[in-house]
Amino acid sequence: GGPGGEGLTRALARWTAGLGYEDIPARVGSVVTSQVVSHLAAIRATAAHPVGRTLLAAYGPLDVTGEPARTAHLAAALSSGLYLEDTLYAGHVSHAAVGVPVAYQASQALSGRALITAVTAANEAAARVTAAATLGPFRGQWAGHTHLVAACAALLHGAGADAGTLLNAWGLALAAPPRALRPAVLASDAKVLSAAAPVRTAVDACAAAVAGLTGRDDVIEHPEGLLAVFAGAAVPELVAYGLGERWHTETLSFKLLPVGVHLDALVECAAELHRRLRPADPADITSVDVAVPRMTMVMSGHADRYVRGAATSLPALNLSAGYNVATALLTGGLTVADLAPPRLAEEGRWRLAERVRLHADEELSRRGVLSTAPVGETLRHAGRHALEWETELPGIPMEKLLEELGPPVASFAGSTKALGCRMRVRMRDGREETCERAAGTGAVGSASWSDHPALVREKLLRTGADEAAVDALARLEELTAAELAEVLRQVLRLGD
C-alpha cells in the first residue's frame, strides 16, 4: 500500500491533486518548460505531413480558444503521428500530460506556472503507473492506460479538483482500459488514435466524476485490476514510490527525429557517415552493418513484417530501421518530408534499405537494459519477480541481468536511456567507415541532454513557428494566463 497503509491509487491521487508549483524543484520545472516547447513542435510537425492533414480534415481546425475537449483529442492524435513526442521512464506521457492542459489553458485560465504544475502532476502520476505495468506487453505507444492516467491528472489539476474527484475519474477511466492490437497499430493508420481515444475517454470520466459518478478507489492495484491484467510481472510499489522525492520528470528524453527512439542513434550515425563518404548513388554503398541492442532488433523486426516499400504504413515506417538508415546515408538526415511522397517513392532508398543489416550485440543490449529507461529501473524494483516477465527484449539471461542491476536509485538526477549502435558502411570503391553512438541526441543521460532548452527551441523553429512566440515559451513560468493564451494561439494556429 501507500504511506500509512493508504491504498496505492488513493495515495497517488492525494499527492497528485495536492501538488503546488512551489513543490516542484527548479530543475524539474525547467525540464517541463522544454517538454511543452518540444511537444508543441511535435504537433506542428505532424500537421505538415499527409496524415496530419487528414487528422485536421477529420477533427480540425486546431483551435486552442475553442472547445477544449475536441482540441485535446485532436492534439493527441497529431502528436502521436511521427514518434516526435518525448518519453519518460516510463511512458509516452506527453500526448495527454502536455496536450490536455494546453487544450484547457484558456478555459481554465492557466498561467505558465499553473500549466507547469498540471504537466508535472500528470507526468509523475502517469509515469509511475506505466512503470508499474511496464514488464508486460503494453509499453510505449501500446500503453493506453498511460494516457488515461495523465489526462485525468492534468485536466483535474488545472481545474483545482480535490483528490476524491481525481480518484473517481481514474476509477471510471480505467474501468475498461484499451488493449492495442499489433497488426492494427503497425499496419494501418490506427496508431494516430492510440492516445486520442484514451484522452477522449478520460475527459468524459472527469466530467462524470465532477458531476458525482464514482469509480473504484483501488482500480490500479486490485488483484483483478489494471496491473494484474496489463502487466506480465507487475511492480505495484512503483505507483506511489518516492512521491515528491524522486521526480520521474527528470527522466525525460527529448525527441528530435521522426522515428522510433530505438532508431535515433542509427539515423544519426548514418547521417554522419553520409558526410564522410558522400555517396552519389545508392549503388555506391555495398553493405551497412549495424550492431544494436536486442531491443532495437526486436522492435525493428516487428515493423519489418509490414514494410511494403512506398506503400508502407507510417507506423511501420517509423519503427523499421532500413528505410530510415538508408535515407540518412543518402541525404545526410531524416525529416518529416522523407516520410511522405514523393521522397517515399524513391526506389534507390528502398534498394539500399534491403542492404541494412542489424546484429544484436550483447554489450549494447546490456547497456540498454541496465539504463533507467525504458525498463531498467522497473527491473531493479522487481528483483526476482522479473523472472515472470516473458520477453524477448533484453538479449541477456534475466538471471544474469538481475545480478548486475543493483538496488533502486534514490534520485533520477543521473538517469540514462542508452539505446546505442555501432555502424559500419562499406563502399563499392573499397572505402569503409564506422560510427558509434551511445544514444541519440536528446536522450536522458547523454551529453546533449543538458542543452535541452536549445534543442527544443530549434525543434519548434524548424516547424516554421514564430520566433518571438518560441522565445516567449522559453519563459513559460513568467507568463500570465492571458500572455500564455496568446502565445499558444500563435503557435497552434493550424488547419484554418
Side-chain angles (χ1 to χ4, degrees):
E6 187 177 24
L8 291 172
T9 313
R10 190 173 278 278
L12 185 63
R14 181 174 49 76
W15 183 87
T16 303
L19 182 69
Y21 179 78
E22 64 284 353
D23 301 321
I24 303 169
R27 67 183 191 279
V28 175
S30 168
V31 173
V32 174
T33 294
S34 288
Q35 181 185 3
V36 171
V37 174
S38 182
H39 196 69
L40 295 175
I43 292 171
R44 284 183 57 94
T46 307
H49 184 278
V51 78
R53 291 195 288 273
T54 303
L55 287 166
L56 285 163
Y59 308 122
L62 188 66
D63 178 10
V64 289
T65 63
E67 166 48 43
R70 189 184 59 74
T71 301
H73 175 261
L74 174 55
L78 287 169
S79 62
S80 303
L82 294 169
Y83 277 94
L84 270 167
E85 76 278 8
D86 310 319
T87 54
L88 288 179
Y89 162 70
H92 292 236
V93 301
S94 292
H95 301 305
V98 179
V100 168
V102 162
Y104 279 82
Q105 186 274 330
S107 64
Q108 294 181 342
L110 302 179
S111 66
R113 290 187 173 193
L115 183 77
I116 288 170
T117 312
V119 173
T120 306
N123 280 348
E124 297 296 324
R128 282 174 167 79
V129 175
T130 308
T134 211
L135 303 184
F138 303 104
R139 278 179 316 286
Q141 291 203 346
W142 307 88
H145 49 277
T146 302
H147 317 307
L148 293 169
V149 173
C152 291
L155 194 162
L156 291 177
H157 195 285
D162 62 17
T165 305
L166 176 56
L167 198 61
N168 283 321
W170 278 342
L172 294 166
L174 292 166
R179 295 178 70 109
L181 302 176
R182 185 179 287 153
V185 171
L186 285 177
S188 76
D189 289 330
K191 185 183 77 74
V192 300
L193 301 179
S194 60
V199 162
R200 184 166 270 175
T201 298
V203 168
D204 286 348
C206 290
V210 168
L213 286 190
T214 60
R216 293 282 312 195
D217 68 357
D218 59 353
V219 70
I220 295 170
E221 72 269 23
H222 188 280
E224 295 177 284
L226 178 78
L227 297 182
V229 173
F230 274 70
V235 190
E237 71 170 86
L238 282 167
V239 172
Y241 188 88
L243 287 165
E245 297 167 9
R246 199 170 78 151
W247 296 88
H248 281 253
T249 299
E250 287 190 273
T251 69
L252 195 76
S253 285
F254 293 96
K255 201 71 180 58
L256 304 178
L257 291 167
V259 287
V261 67
H262 59 290
L263 300 180
D264 282 348
L266 283 70
V267 170
E268 290 184 11
C269 269
E272 171 63 27
L273 293 177
H274 165 85
R275 289 187 280 276
R276 289 194 229 157
L277 294 166
R278 294 290 172 188
D281 184 87
D284 292 346
I285 299 171
T286 58
S287 67
V288 184
D289 288 284
V290 199
V292 295
R294 171 76 178 166
M295 202 175 297
T296 299
M297 283 255 323
V298 169
M299 294 174 73
S300 183
H302 285 317
D304 288 345
R305 293 167 52 197
Y306 301 102
V307 169
R308 304 286 185 270
T312 303
S313 67
L314 183 57
L317 191 66
N318 277 151
L319 294 178
S320 172
Y323 175 84
N324 297 295
V325 169
T327 295
L329 276 169
L330 293 171
T331 69
L334 183 75
T335 67
V336 172
D338 290 311
L339 304 178
R343 297 182 191 178
L344 195 53
E346 291 179 16
E347 288 186 15
R349 297 186 183 197
W350 290 105
R351 286 199 299 273
L352 180 55
E354 292 172 3
R355 297 197 285 278
V356 176
R357 295 275 181 268
L358 304 189
H359 311 276
D361 178 272
E362 184 167 328
E363 183 50 36
L364 289 170
S365 297
R366 174 181 281 104
R367 284 184 220 159
V369 181
L370 292 178
S371 58
T372 313
V375 296
E377 188 60 20
T378 296
L379 290 172
R380 289 184 181 90
H381 284 269
R384 295 195 63 78
H385 181 42
L387 295 171
E388 298 170 22
W389 181 33
E390 296 178 12
T391 179
E392 53 186 338
L393 291 180
I396 307 165
M398 190 62 76
E399 293 270 12
K400 191 175 176 185
L401 262 179
L402 293 176
E403 291 172 14
E404 296 184 43
L405 277 162
V409 298
S411 163
F412 283 137
S415 296
T416 55
K417 187 171 189 173
L419 296 177
C421 75
R422 289 193 309 278
M423 184 175 294
R424 182 183 301 276
V425 174
R426 293 181 179 87
M427 303 292 283
R428 190 170 50 178
D429 62 12
R431 287 180 297 153
E432 185 175 301
E433 288 278 359
T434 61
C435 177
E436 184 167 351
R437 288 275 193 280
T441 302
V444 70
S446 69
S448 60
W449 189 87
S450 59
D451 205 21
H452 60 77
L455 293 178
V456 301
R457 180 180 191 274
E458 179 58 31
K459 178 181 175 180
L460 185 49
L461 287 173
R462 272 200 307 273
T463 69
D466 177 74
E467 190 168 4
V470 175
D471 289 341
L473 282 170
R475 299 181 287 100
L476 183 58
E477 79 281 1
E478 300 171 15
L479 300 181
T480 65
E483 289 167 342
L484 179 54
E486 177 55 27
V487 170
L488 291 175
R489 192 180 64 77
Q490 288 179 37
V491 173
L492 292 177
R493 196 181 291 143
L494 302 169
D496 292 341

